[in-house]
Every structure is written in structure tokens, then in C-alpha cells.
Amino acid sequence: MEFSSKLLENAVKEMSQLPGIGKRTALRLVLHLLKQPKEQTGFLSQALTTMREEVKFCLSCHNISDNTICEICSNKSRDHSVICIVEDIRDVMAIENTGQFRGVYHVLGGKISPIDGVGPSQLNIFSLVEKVKLGGVSEIIFALSSTMEGDTTNFYIYRQIQDSNVITSSIARGISVGDELEYADEVTLGRSILQRVPFESAFKNN
Amino acid sequence: MEFSSKLLENAVKEMSQLPGIGKRTALRLVLHLLKQPKEQTGFLSQALTTMREEVKFCLSCHNISDNTICEICSNKSRDHSVICIVEDIRDVMAIENTGQFRGVYHVLGGKISPIDGVGPSQLNIFSLVEKVKLGGVSEIIFALSSTMEGDTTNFYIYRQIQDSNVITSSIARGISVGDELEYADEVTLGRSILQRVPFESAFKNN
């Protein structure tokens, strides 16, 4: 692509570094900014820079936070003895949106994936094991995605904490609410039958 | 969506103002930036702000440029008597990429579209008519997209310059090179037969 302006070329180059944004999309976005008032570009740049420079990660759960301890971890009305292990902060947001969980989280920051060069030491696993060893934790809920990497990570963590007196659980796998049975994959459908729940409890809390 | 950080929320809000970027995509992009070195966010913000503040539009053709007159308009080896009318700078880049055009451009900045509230006065039409009136122009090539708005804009401009001694032409419409005839729409196929070209010229310049 030939650009008539170095400034434009540079803006498109930087924009297309973002995942899923190719050169053409980047050009469309940048030309959109050019048609908008200058303030909009200013606000965007400012918001990104400030966020990147000043955002903190909660010392306890590694969630993104404006303070050293995040709002969830510093909330005294939550049950700090139940810890839900998630991959990243998007999962925290998703679970928080359900309003069904009153415990706290532990954000791993990824999954063990030898192909991508991610080992246990790059994840926030050590601090979780320490937390469990220190006591005061009654249950660990594994809420990673059920892929090869997710299961590996779950199992790695499970082995580290299995000697402690902590209940370990996994989020339920089954047919999504509203889904047709005939379109469900075999593994999910099979599990949903094996791990069936008492009829009355199926309608609790929704 | 509930954010654990105001900084993050603000960054996502600004990012999702861009066209085609929803809240979820914006969050994904922002979290990507958080995983990258701080410099990347700095470069992106800097590139966008500098571009928005300092980019100029060529006084002659209204193309984006680093100077008051763009590289194409200031290039003496190009034919300044042939002007190709395009909608925006992406069209200039597309035509330049073909390497087949040695004239200059005139960027309208849009199409006449009453539904979107875009009238002739919002487009760079006046400066084009002035250019033609001043003389020195031998041919005007209409290269807008062939939609209702494109045709309206073409016709509006055509009426303003039809009294001058300028040749007017339109880019050829027809079956794309490599396309199957059976999948072509009727209007395009019909036109490609009516506006057929001598066999020898079909292989020129490609």
C-alpha cells in the first residue's frame, strides 16, 4: 500500500499491530478519526496512554485494578475462603455479570501451553499455592476453559494443592440454557447426563 | 459490562467509538495492549495524535498530504490536464497501486447523499469547477462508485462543467478480470456487451 502521507502511514502501521486489525481496517479506522473532531483522537490517545501507564494489578488476585488491592478483594462482604481460578480478567467480568458468585478470584494470566512457550512459572500459580498454604481457604473452584491447555493447567494446580484440606470443584459442563439437544456435541451431552443434578436444584438461583 | 478499573473502562469506551469496534472487541484490543511493552501503546497514541494534529490536505486535489501540495500534484512528470475524480483517498491509493494512471486526482470527500445530509456544498466540488474554468484541463475522468449517490454526484458535476471544452469520461464497467460470466449480475453483463472494446485493445497495458 502506497500512502500519500508519512503521518498517515505511521498511524496505520501502529494501528495494524493490534490483533485482528489488518492494514485495510487500520486505514478505515484512521480515516474515520480524521473526519471526527480532533478531540476524539486526543481522548483516545490519552485514555490508552494513561491506562497503560497507571493501571495496576491487584496484589492478591492479579485482577486489573486502580488500587493495589482490587475492589473485589477489599470487599469485606465477600467470602474470601472461596477462590475461583480464572484465566484472565475477561472471565472475572463474565462471572461478575452473572451476580451468582460471592467469593473472590485468582487470575492466572493465561494457561500452561508448551506450544506457545507458556510454562507454570509465567502464570500466577505460585501466589495461589502460597495463599492456600497460609490457610483460610475452604474451596477452590476451577473455571478455566475445558481445552487441552485448560485441563493441563487445572491438573497442575490441583496436584500442588491436593495435600491441603481444601475442597476443589470445577464449574459444571453441560448443555447451554436454551440450546437444542440435537445440536450439542457428544462429549458435552454425555457429561450432562453423567453429571445430572436433582430436578429441584436445576431451578435454583436463576 | 462491569469494569474493575476506571482507567480500563475509559480506554475501552474511547476505543469502542471507532466504527465496527464493539465493547467486546475494544476490551480485547485494550487487554492486548496491556500484555505488550508500554512503548507500543506510547507509539500508537503518539502516531494517532501527531497524525490528527499535523496531517494536511493538498490545496489542489484535497488528498491527504504532509505538505500543502501533495506529492502527486507537485510531480511535474504527471499529466496535470487529466483529472480523475474520486470519492476519498482510499480510491486514490487503489488507482495509484495499479500504476496505470499518470494524471492527477481530485478528491471529493464523499458523495451527494440527501439521506445522510451530504449536499454539494459539503464536498470539494466548487474547487474542481474553478479548476476547469481556469483552463488547462483536457479530460475529466469520473471514478465514483456506480451507486445511486455516485451517479447523482457524477451528474451534478457533469452539468457544471459541460459547457467547457473538456472531455468527460467514466471508468469502464464490466466483468472483473478472472470472474465467471454466469455469476455476473445482469446490469454489469449487459453493459459489458454494449460497451465492448476492440479485441486488440483488451490486452493492452496489463
Side-chain angles (χ1 to χ4, degrees):
Chain A
M1 233 190 272
E2 281 279 339
F3 291 91
S4 57
S5 153
K6 279 273 166 229
L7 294 168
L8 180 72
E9 181 170 2
N10 198 26
V12 169
K13 199 194 86 198
E14 290 296 335
M15 201 66 143
S16 61
Q17 308 261 320
L18 295 173
I21 309 271
K23 283 247 168 179
R24 274 165 194 268
T25 310
L27 178 60
R28 192 164 55 84
L29 297 179
V30 168
L31 290 182
H32 170 83
L33 284 177
L34 271 181
K35 283 189 185 169
Q36 302 298 313
K38 283 186 184 178
E39 291 76 44
Q40 189 178 334
T41 312
F43 288 148
L44 173 63
S45 305
Q46 193 58 46
L48 290 178
T49 321
T50 318
M51 186 270 306
R52 189 64 187 86
E53 295 287 335
E54 293 177 17
V55 91
K56 294 183 185 73
F57 292 90
C58 172
L59 286 179
S60 173
C61 73
H62 308 285
N63 190 7
I64 287 177
S65 168
D66 289 342
N67 307 306
T68 45
I69 300 291
C70 76
E71 279 179 30
I72 296 173
C73 287
S74 57
N75 185 341
K76 292 220 166 62
S77 73
R78 297 187 76 120
D79 185 353
H80 288 252
S81 70
V82 180
I83 300 176
C84 180
I85 304 179
V86 293
E87 192 186 327
D88 70 17
I89 79 131
R90 273 183 287 180
D91 303 324
V92 174
M93 288 166 65
I95 297 177
E96 280 298 287
N97 274 344
T98 68
Q100 300 289 344
F101 183 61
R102 297 302 302 163
V104 293
Y105 298 91
H106 189 91
V107 181
L108 292 180
K111 292 176 287 192
I112 296 173
S113 172
I115 292 176
D116 302 322
V118 180
S121 58
Q122 274 119 302
L123 305 176
N124 303 318
I125 293 179
F126 182 74
S127 57
L128 174 71
V129 176
E130 285 296 296
K131 229 188 273 180
V132 173
K133 275 187 191 157
L134 277 173
V137 178
S138 63
E139 184 177 356
I140 294 283
I141 305 171
F142 289 95
L144 300 189
S145 51
S146 68
T147 57
M148 179 79 85
E149 289 88 6
D151 289 341
T152 308
T153 314
N154 282 343
F155 193 65
Y156 181 87
I157 297 172
Y158 176 75
R159 277 208 318 200
Q160 308 251 329
I161 59 173
Q162 69 185 132
D163 295 334
S164 58
N165 282 327
V166 171
I167 302 166
T168 49
S169 61
S170 170
I171 55 167
R173 311 287 176 186
I175 311 294
S176 293
V177 177
D179 259 16
E180 304 274 359
L181 242 66
E182 59 176 322
Y183 301 121
D185 66 289
E186 287 165 29
V187 180
T188 305
L189 187 54
R191 264 209 224 182
S192 77
I193 289 177
L194 284 177
Q195 299 171 355
R196 62 195 176 277
V197 295
F199 188 75
E200 293 83 8
S201 76
F203 293 93
K204 255 193 349 200
N205 289 332
N206 68 17
Chain B
M1 230 189 275
E2 281 279 337
F3 291 92
S4 57
S5 154
K6 280 273 165 231
L7 295 168
L8 180 70
E9 182 170 1
N10 198 26
V12 169
K13 198 194 86 197
E14 289 297 335
M15 201 67 144
S16 60
Q17 308 262 320
L18 295 172
I21 309 268
K23 284 247 167 179
R24 272 164 195 269
T25 311
L27 178 61
R28 192 165 54 84
L29 298 179
V30 169
L31 290 181
H32 170 84
L33 284 176
L34 271 181
K35 283 188 185 168
Q36 303 297 312
K38 283 187 183 175
E39 291 75 44
Q40 188 177 333
T41 311
F43 287 148
L44 173 63
S45 304
Q46 193 57 47
L48 289 178
T49 321
T50 318
M51 187 271 304
R52 189 64 187 86
E53 295 287 334
E54 293 178 17
V55 92
K56 294 183 186 71
F57 291 90
C58 173
L59 287 178
S60 174
C61 72
H62 308 284
N63 190 8
I64 287 176
S65 167
D66 290 341
N67 307 305
T68 44
I69 300 291
C70 75
E71 278 179 32
I72 296 173
C73 287
S74 57
N75 185 342
K76 292 223 166 60
S77 72
R78 296 187 78 120
D79 185 351
H80 288 250
S81 71
V82 180
I83 300 176
C84 180
I85 305 178
V86 292
E87 192 186 327
D88 70 16
I89 79 130
R90 274 183 285 180
D91 303 324
V92 174
M93 288 167 65
I95 297 177
E96 279 299 287
N97 273 345
T98 69
Q100 299 290 344
F101 183 62
R102 297 301 301 160
V104 294
Y105 297 91
H106 189 89
V107 181
L108 293 180
K111 292 176 287 192
I112 296 173
S113 172
I115 292 177
D116 302 321
V118 181
S121 58
Q122 275 120 303
L123 305 176
N124 304 317
I125 293 179
F126 182 74
S127 58
L128 174 71
V129 176
E130 284 296 295
K131 227 188 273 178
V132 173
K133 275 187 190 156
L134 278 173
V137 178
S138 63
E139 183 177 357
I140 296 282
I141 304 172
F142 289 95
L144 301 189
S145 50
S146 67
T147 56
M148 179 79 85
E149 288 88 7
D151 288 342
T152 307
T153 314
N154 283 343
F155 193 64
Y156 181 88
I157 298 172
Y158 176 74
R159 276 206 322 200
Q160 308 251 327
I161 58 173
Q162 69 186 131
D163 295 333
S164 58
N165 282 326
V166 171
I167 302 167
T168 49
S169 61
S170 168
I171 56 166
R173 311 285 175 185
I175 311 294
S176 293
V177 176
D179 259 15
E180 304 273 359
L181 242 64
E182 58 176 322
Y183 301 120
D185 67 291
E186 287 165 28
V187 180
T188 306
L189 187 55
R191 264 209 223 183
S192 78
I193 289 177
L194 284 176
Q195 299 171 354
R196 61 195 177 277
V197 296
F199 188 74
E200 293 84 5
S201 76
F203 293 94
K204 256 192 351 198
N205 288 335
N206 70 17

